[in-house]
């Protein structure tokens, strides 16, 4: 990822959630949850609105000593008009601040030597300081941080604040609130029925195209509300659902609802090719030890569309592995379908997916088939894959 320029910090927080991890520079990678406002306010030793008034650098090392003048202390020991020293090292992404402009800063205290003034660094690297303009979405950030700071010792108040944030029209605000709610697992069981339905409704309203939809999918799954499974499965049938299917599948997995499995199986019966790929992907992520799930995946292993066949093989392998783990004596179905699919497989990825799925059956007949493939199949990739999965059948499937 190309490092962000300082000007990018004027964008809505949604721009900071563009990846599950945000690379700040060559040596710094931060998980997305560390960019959410709740996380930043909770973990910073000081949260301030301040103005950089001086910047001293040390030659070509990229080390900067910045003097900040505090305008407002939102959380922590600093006070208005206090001047503090901030250490920042530019690792190639440029400077995320500008002199004589107001900034929201999340600071962590550096170890202090006795008798020396305390110095500070940024929490979450360069993403720990953001210019605050006079108007626009970013101008709301300090107020949100004040609200969070006020409810940190009030679990119900904090939860209510995050639910309201999830409903915010600004996608960045909604992303931050959803990310914080998902992170706070202890809040999930405390959600009221009204809060649960509001979160699911917010997910349904949010369009696909921003990272917010992904965060809201995980938040919907965290509600454990009966309406969550239908909403999540329905989202996999939407145009562009490919963009959210990983998070939706994970949300369904966490939801752990047998009803969700039934909904996926039912949707697969009438799904078009692109929809089937998304549904099978979610089914594989859930990997329920359920015969209907295995049958649904098996029914698409010989689909006319290659992308569906690949996803079906992967999902079938994941499901039968869980079936065998739950009950080693259960009769697994689908091995012959996979061998038929492998005989017709025309691409490397399809061959890999089918051979991998065979290995997940973890039964003598499947291993005999793999041994035969490793010894005599005319396709080098099939022979190599069979040897690899015979040696370690629980390797993850990695397509080329």
């Amino acid at each position: 990822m190309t490092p962000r320029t300082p000007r990018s910090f004027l964008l809505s927080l949604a721009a900071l959630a563009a990846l599950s991890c945000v690379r700040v520079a060559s040596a710094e990678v931060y998980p997305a949850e560390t960019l959410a406002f709740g996380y930043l306010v909770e973990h910073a030793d000081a949260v301030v609105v301040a103005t950089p008034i001086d910047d001293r650098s040390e030659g070509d090392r990229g080390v900067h000593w910045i003097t900040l003048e505090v305008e407002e202390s939102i959380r922590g020991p600093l006070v208005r008009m206090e001047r503090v020293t901030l250490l920042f090292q530019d690792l190639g992404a440029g400077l995320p601040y500008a002199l004589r402009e107001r900034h929201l800063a999340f600071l962590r205290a550096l170890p202090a030597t006795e008798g020396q003034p305390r110095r500070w660094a940024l929490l979450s690297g360069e993403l720990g300081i953001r210019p605050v303009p006079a108007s626009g979405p970013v101008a709301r950030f300090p107020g949100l941080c004040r609200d969070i700071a006020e409810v940190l010792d009030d679990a119900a108040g904090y939860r209510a604040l995050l639910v309201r944030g999830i409903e915010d029209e600004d996608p960045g605000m909604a992303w931050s609130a959803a990310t914080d709610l998902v992170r706070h697992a202890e809040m999930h069981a405390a959600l009221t029925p009204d809060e649960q339905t509001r979160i699911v409704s917010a997910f349904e309203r949010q369009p696909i195209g921003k990272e917010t939809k992904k965060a809201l999918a995980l938040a919907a799954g965290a509600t454990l509300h009966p309406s969550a499974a239908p909403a999540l499965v329905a989202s996999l049938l939407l145009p562009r659902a490919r963009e959210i299917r990983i998070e939706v599948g994970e949300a369904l997995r966490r939801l752990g609802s047998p009803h969700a499995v039934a909904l996926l199986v039912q949707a697969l019966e009438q799904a078009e090719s692109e929809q089937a790929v998304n549904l099978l992907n979610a089914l594989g992520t859930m990997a329920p030890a359920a015969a209907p799930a295995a049958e649904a995946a098996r029914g698409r292993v010989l689909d006319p569309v290659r992308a569906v066949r690949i996803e079906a093989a992967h999902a079938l392998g994941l499901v039968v592995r869980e079936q065998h783990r739950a009950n080693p004596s259960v009769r697994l179905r689908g091995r012959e379908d996979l061998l038929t699919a492998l005989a017709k497989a025309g691409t490397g990825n399809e061959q890999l997916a089918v051979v991998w799925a065979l290995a997940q059956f973890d039964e003598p007949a499947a291993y005999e088939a793999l041994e035969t493939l490793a010894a005599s199949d005319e396709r080098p990739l099939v022979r190599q894959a069979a040897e690899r999965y015979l040696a370690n059948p629980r390797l993850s499937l990695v397509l080329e």
Side-chain angles (χ1 to χ4, degrees):
M1 173 180 169
T2 303
R4 299 183 184 274
T5 62
R7 187 172 298 275
S8 68
F9 293 91
L10 298 174
L11 301 178
S12 168
L13 184 65
L16 303 180
L19 296 174
S20 59
C21 289
V22 176
R23 182 174 298 276
V24 174
S26 58
E28 295 182 297
V29 177
Y30 294 93
E33 69 174 26
T34 66
L35 309 181
F37 281 120
Y39 178 95
L40 290 166
V41 173
E42 292 170 36
H43 290 81
D45 296 313
V47 182
V48 297
V49 176
T51 301
I53 60 174
D54 185 48
D55 183 348
R56 293 175 290 110
S57 61
E58 296 184 5
D60 59 357
R61 294 175 55 199
V63 176
H64 293 256
W65 298 96
I66 304 100
T67 301
L68 295 179
E69 185 173 271
V70 176
E71 174 185 316
E72 177 190 359
S73 178
I74 295 175
R75 184 166 186 259
L78 302 180
V79 297
R80 178 176 169 79
M81 301 305 294
E82 184 173 357
R83 292 187 175 184
V84 298
T85 300
L86 171 67
L87 171 64
F88 179 78
Q89 185 171 15
D90 180 6
L91 299 176
L95 302 179
Y97 55 86
L99 291 177
R100 291 172 290 281
E101 292 186 7
R102 297 172 71 243
H103 292 71
L104 175 64
F106 304 90
L107 307 177
R108 58 182 179 86
L110 295 174
T113 303
E114 186 175 355
Q116 296 295 319
R118 169 154 286 180
R119 291 173 174 174
W120 304 80
L122 295 173
L123 182 66
S124 296
E126 70 171 42
L127 299 177
I129 187 168
R130 305 164 190 199
V132 180
S135 61
V138 180
R140 300 172 59 193
F141 289 0
L144 175 59
C145 292
R146 290 186 210 104
D147 292 342
I148 293 172
E150 289 177 0
V151 297
L152 287 182
D153 296 325
D154 175 7
Y158 195 2
R159 189 185 72 245
L161 178 66
L162 293 179
V163 174
R164 290 197 300 272
I166 284 171
E167 296 176 308
D168 199 289
E169 292 183 0
D170 179 74
M173 293 290 194
W175 175 89
S176 179
T179 301
D180 279 322
L181 180 72
V182 171
R183 176 173 59 87
H184 276 289
E186 75 282 359
M187 293 185 181
H188 301 170
L191 288 165
T192 67
D194 176 66
E195 290 171 333
Q196 293 172 329
T197 56
R198 287 164 58 192
I199 293 169
V200 175
S201 295
F203 165 71
E204 291 179 305
R205 290 193 305 271
Q206 183 66 37
I208 296 176
K210 294 184 180 294
E211 295 299 304
T212 308
K213 185 74 167 179
K214 300 177 182 180
L216 288 175
L218 296 173
T223 67
L224 303 181
H225 193 267
S227 65
L232 289 164
V233 172
S235 73
L236 294 170
L237 304 178
L238 297 173
R240 302 176 64 186
R242 180 183 180 90
E243 299 176 29
I244 63 169
R245 69 187 187 192
I246 293 175
E247 289 76 15
V248 170
E250 177 60 19
L252 288 167
R253 185 190 70 79
R254 297 181 188 183
L255 194 60
S257 167
H259 185 45
V261 176
L263 288 171
L264 284 172
V265 170
Q266 182 180 4
L268 268 168
E269 293 175 358
Q270 303 296 327
E272 298 177 359
S273 298
E274 184 176 350
Q275 295 172 329
V277 169
N278 298 328
L279 293 164
L280 287 163
N281 185 277
L283 191 66
T285 300
M286 289 188 70
E295 285 301 299
R298 186 173 76 92
R300 291 284 189 153
V301 165
L302 297 174
D303 193 272
V305 178
R306 180 181 296 117
V308 176
R309 295 197 299 270
I310 292 174
E311 204 67 61
H314 189 216
L316 178 60
L318 291 168
V319 172
V320 298
R321 185 168 72 188
E322 291 305 310
Q323 282 186 293
H324 183 73
R325 183 177 296 169
N327 183 3
S329 64
V330 70
R331 179 176 178 269
L332 302 176
R333 300 183 61 188
R335 178 171 47 83
E336 294 299 329
D337 300 271
L338 288 172
L339 289 171
T340 301
L342 181 60
K344 301 177 180 180
T347 67
N349 279 342
E350 189 174 359
Q351 294 166 9
L352 286 171
V354 173
V355 174
W356 177 88
L358 278 171
Q360 306 317 303
F361 277 70
D362 196 21
E363 58 183 12
Y367 288 124
E368 290 173 7
L370 288 171
E371 289 169 354
T372 300
L373 293 171
S376 60
D377 197 277
E378 62 183 15
R379 295 163 292 185
L381 183 61
V382 172
R383 294 197 304 272
Q384 294 166 8
E387 290 175 0
R388 183 187 315 128
Y389 295 127
L390 275 168
N392 192 343
R394 293 301 178 258
L395 284 173
S396 298
L397 174 62
V398 179
L399 300 180
E400 298 178 348

